[in-house]
Amino acid sequence: MGKNLVGNYIRKLRFNSDEMTQQQLADKVGVTRQTIVALEKGNYSPSLELAFRIARAFGLPLEEVFFYEDNSMQ
């Protein structure tokens, strides 16, 4: 399979949320800052539970924070 197909807008959302730091988001959702770094870089796909916690931290539905890139349809 290779490349991670789950993308996200976390970095942009943090910036638009009074420039929330990676550490502040990590503390809010109960993970390490390194997990947030990996998510933003696309090196890690979150569990469904973590994805919902992150979306809730921004007050947004899941699909406004995460997206699925399915290139097999092209």
Side-chain angles (χ1 to χ4, degrees), residues 29-48:
V29 300
V31 297
T32 65
R33 186 184 68 79
Q34 288 78 10
T35 299
I36 302 301
V37 170
L39 283 165
E40 288 185 359
K41 288 182 175 180
N43 295 334
Y44 172 69
S45 289
S47 67
L48 188 54

Side-chain angles (χ1 to χ4, degrees), residues 20-71:
M20 178 190 299
T21 66
Q22 291 171 331
Q23 187 63 59
Q24 288 170 322
L25 178 58
D27 291 344
K28 242 181 172 175
V29 300
V31 297
T32 65
R33 186 184 68 79
Q34 288 78 10
T35 299
I36 302 301
V37 170
L39 283 165
E40 288 185 359
K41 288 182 175 180
N43 295 334
Y44 172 69
S45 289
S47 67
L48 188 54
E49 180 184 350
L50 178 55
F52 274 107
R53 287 198 317 251
I54 292 169
R56 188 165 289 162
F58 291 114
L60 294 170
L62 194 64
E63 61 272 10
E64 289 185 27
V65 180
F66 295 93
F67 57 90
Y68 181 71
E69 297 180 52
D70 186 359
N71 297 329

